[in-house]
Amino acid sequence: MSTVVLNGAGTTVADITAIARKDAAVEIGPDVYDRLARARAILDQAAASGQQIYGLNTGLGANLKTPVSEHITAFQQQLVRGRGMGVGPTLPRAETRAVMAARLAMLSVGGSGISPPVFDDLLALLNKQIHPILPSIGSIGAGDLVLLSAIARSLIGEGEAEYQGEVQPSGQALKKAGLAPAQLGPKDGLSLLNASAVSVGQGALVVVDGATLLDFQRQAAALSFEALGGNPLILTPAIQLARPGAGQVEEAEKLLGLLEDSSLFEMKAAIQDPLSLRCVAPIHGALAHALKVATEAIEIELNAAADNPLVILDEGRVLSTGNFHTPSLALAFEMLGLAIAQVALASAARFIQLTGSGRNGLPRYLTPVGGASAGFVPLQKTITALVGAIRHKANPVLLDFLPVSEGVEDHATQTPLAVAKCAGIIDLWRHVVACEMLAAAQAIDLKPGHRCGKGTLQIYGFVRETATKLEEDRPLGDNVSALTARLSDE
């Protein structure tokens, strides 16, 4: 098992993915506990001075003006229980681990004022692989309090958690793992809740998956170049440099690399191919750029103090903030969803070109037997249904909110929904890529004498490891599903 060290800086989406999907153990860097101790001392001193501190000696949201002068410690448990309002399907194990890891990374920065023992309790929960049952619906992007309350409840021995493959009462899971329920001190409950760790943890997995699938999409497009007899001169570096759109130069270079040694370079090609082929470098480049923006937005959050109130270590004071609000993150994932949709639509367009009525010297419907054979053409309906679902999910949700908490919270970002939409789009897009790969491989089989490039020959072999050439009509949906599964597992 690998290990990821959280230092309060430098945490990456790859770190979160290793913790979430490979069960990497988490260690804490040497400077983190010093920051936690200093922040806690500043918080305690501010509270002792009589300063009003949100969520420590005041109520939350619409209860902001309600003082909490007695039973301050008990109030933290009340606060945790009172936010357990999430509903809907529970998050999968890997996503739950990503959320817990994201919150630990953010707390390691040292701005929350959380008690070091409670921080250690959260660390132990993750390393002992006790996974609270997190609902998926309840956050509008102004902090993920309602959803994160499930983690806080498990820490104090309430609610349910998965441990050793079994969902059980959290108190029972803690006992089996040799852990005791956490004892929340002033502000500890709010420190566990008031952040966007659900959006950030899930978002880290989304951008990693998106980058992986873009690589497969790139290979599928290169295979379609071979299959359709595309003109590789459109990828000439000078063309890209004449209008260096975001990511365009790099994407053209990667496609050229896949096509190296292809007989395409020896053929008389069309002057201009369909736009889904001719413009593939700028289309893919826009997605590569969107992935970069979303990754940077996630990593800002992973290494930032997004707490409210915030302990400012360098100034020794506690101030209320709006750092839990994530409009840039929401915008990044809205852009990412649209960029993926654009790439998926281009992939689908190439599929239609491949499977249509005898284009580029290919047999109609890519069937070698002709006649009444349906070949690949019924799969056009499937790919149309896929891109319809993708287009629906790509619709922005950033502006869809209502004022809540008596108007105190009158703006929201819907970041969790924007991130979840992207995850759903990627799942659909994966099927589209599989369809294009299958059709392109079939077309190459129907082009005797054609020589694939070094890279495209490898991806052709990858496809043929999963699905054989279509010799007569068969249920191609099974082949699409099998190839889609491989694209997810690789």
Side-chain angles (χ1 to χ4, degrees), residues 134-155:
L134 267 69
S136 56
I137 301 172
S139 172
I140 56 175
D144 297 330
L145 285 81
V146 167
L147 303 182
L148 290 174
S149 66
I151 295 176
R153 289 178 65 208
S154 283
L155 271 182

Side-chain angles (χ1 to χ4, degrees), residues 201-226:
Q202 289 183 299
L205 301 182
V206 167
V207 294
V208 167
D209 288 345
T212 298
L213 193 51
L214 173 56
D215 190 46
F216 281 121
Q217 177 69 88
R218 192 180 293 124
Q219 295 173 56
L223 206 61
S224 288
F225 256 100
E226 304 275 20

Side-chain angles (χ1 to χ4, degrees), residues 13-319:
V13 295
D15 292 331
I16 300 302
T17 303
I19 295 167
R21 292 178 172 162
K22 298 180 180 178
D23 289 341
V26 179
E27 294 182 358
I28 304 302
D31 297 330
V32 171
Y33 285 104
D34 175 64
R35 288 197 296 272
L36 294 178
R38 287 192 292 126
R40 187 68 193 188
I42 292 168
L43 181 69
D44 289 342
Q45 184 177 8
S49 73
Q51 177 181 339
Q52 280 195 317
I53 299 174
Y54 181 74
L56 188 154
N57 51 26
T58 77
L60 299 189
N63 284 325
L64 171 64
K65 296 181 179 180
T66 302
V68 179
S69 56
E70 298 180 0
H71 309 296
I72 289 179
T73 299
F75 172 62
Q76 295 302 306
Q77 296 206 18
Q78 175 190 332
L79 185 156
V80 166
R81 292 174 183 137
R83 267 72 198 167
M85 307 293 183
V87 297
T90 57
L91 297 186
R93 178 185 189 275
E95 292 185 19
T96 299
R97 289 184 61 78
V99 171
M100 297 167 73
R103 189 59 190 132
L104 276 169
M106 299 157 87
L107 289 169
S108 296
V109 178
S112 73
I114 193 170
S115 304
V118 175
F119 176 87
D120 278 339
D121 289 336
L122 180 57
L123 175 66
L125 202 70
L126 182 59
N127 279 336
K128 291 285 188 178
Q129 298 184 24
I130 299 174
H131 306 119
I133 302 303
L134 267 69
S136 56
I137 301 172
S139 172
I140 56 175
D144 297 330
L145 285 81
V146 167
L147 303 182
L148 290 174
S149 66
I151 295 176
R153 289 178 65 208
S154 283
L155 271 182
I156 62 175
E158 301 180 6
E160 290 187 320
E162 177 270 321
Y163 179 60
Q164 297 181 337
E166 178 186 352
V167 176
Q168 54 197 282
S170 296
Q172 181 176 308
L174 291 172
K175 186 175 181 180
K176 286 181 179 179
L179 302 176
Q183 301 298 312
L184 303 182
K187 194 184 176 287
D188 284 338
L190 185 59
S191 293
L192 292 168
L193 304 186
N194 199 13
S196 298
V198 174
S199 307
V200 174
Q202 289 183 299
L205 301 182
V206 167
V207 294
V208 167
D209 288 345
T212 298
L213 193 51
L214 173 56
D215 190 46
F216 281 121
Q217 177 69 88
R218 192 180 293 124
Q219 295 173 56
L223 206 61
S224 288
F225 256 100
E226 304 275 20
L228 290 167
N231 186 350
L233 294 180
I234 197 65
L235 303 171
T236 299
I239 294 176
Q240 321 313 318
L241 291 170
R243 198 290 307 268
Q248 179 175 337
V249 174
E250 295 81 4
E251 288 302 314
E253 182 181 1
K254 289 173 181 177
L255 286 164
L256 274 175
L258 290 168
L259 294 170
E260 182 183 352
D261 201 32
S262 167
S263 57
L264 287 178
F265 294 95
E266 301 160 9
M267 297 165 53
K268 183 178 179 180
I271 297 175
Q272 293 194 157
D273 292 308
L275 296 184
S276 61
L277 203 62
R278 191 180 356 149
C279 301
V280 67
I283 294 170
H284 285 190
L287 174 52
H289 174 69
L291 279 165
K292 181 180 178 182
V293 170
T295 299
E296 289 175 350
I298 289 290
E299 291 181 349
I300 285 172
E301 299 294 333
L302 286 173
N303 298 287
D307 295 88
N308 175 43
L310 174 69
V311 180
I312 305 175
L313 292 173
D314 292 342
E315 299 180 10
R317 57 178 176 159
V318 181
L319 293 176

